[in-house]
């Protein structure tokens, strides 16, 4: 739970800006920390594409099987 000394209160990570600032503009969290939570790693999309290609191929296979 990020604590802001200047506001004298706690903030939820979603309330903070991606830079790690509170709504009042004070630096609360490490910018790299907040960035790491928000960013999706590139290998996640590689996995999604691979899964889509696999499922697409299985669908084609199923259609060929149906009409053969
Ligand atoms: Zn603040």
């Amino acid at each position: 739970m990020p604590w802001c000394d200047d506001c004298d209160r706690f903030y939820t990570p979603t309330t903070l800006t991606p830079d790690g600032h509170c709504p009042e503009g004070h630096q609360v969290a490490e910018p790299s920390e907040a960035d790491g939570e928000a960013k999706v790693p590139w290998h996640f999309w590689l996995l999604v594409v691979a899964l889509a290609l696999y499922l697409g191929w299985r669908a084609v296979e199923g259609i060929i099987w149906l009409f053969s």
Side-chain angles (χ1 to χ4, degrees):
M1 206 65 133
W3 167 262
C4 184
D5 277 327
D6 297 295
C7 297
D8 206 32
R9 60 166 290 186
F10 283 109
Y11 284 105
T12 59
T14 48
T15 323
L16 302 176
T17 67
D19 298 330
H21 291 89
C22 78
E24 301 300 316
H26 310 120
Q27 183 69 49
V28 180
E30 292 296 315
S32 55
E33 196 181 301
D35 192 44
E37 275 180 82
K39 214 157 65 179
V40 179
W42 65 269
H43 48 262
F44 170 80
W45 294 113
L46 193 73
L47 200 75
V48 169
V49 169
L51 194 71
L53 286 172
Y54 173 74
L55 289 175
W57 171 242
R58 292 310 301 264
V60 167
E61 256 191 341
I63 290 162
I64 291 167
W65 179 82
L66 274 174
F67 291 97
S68 61

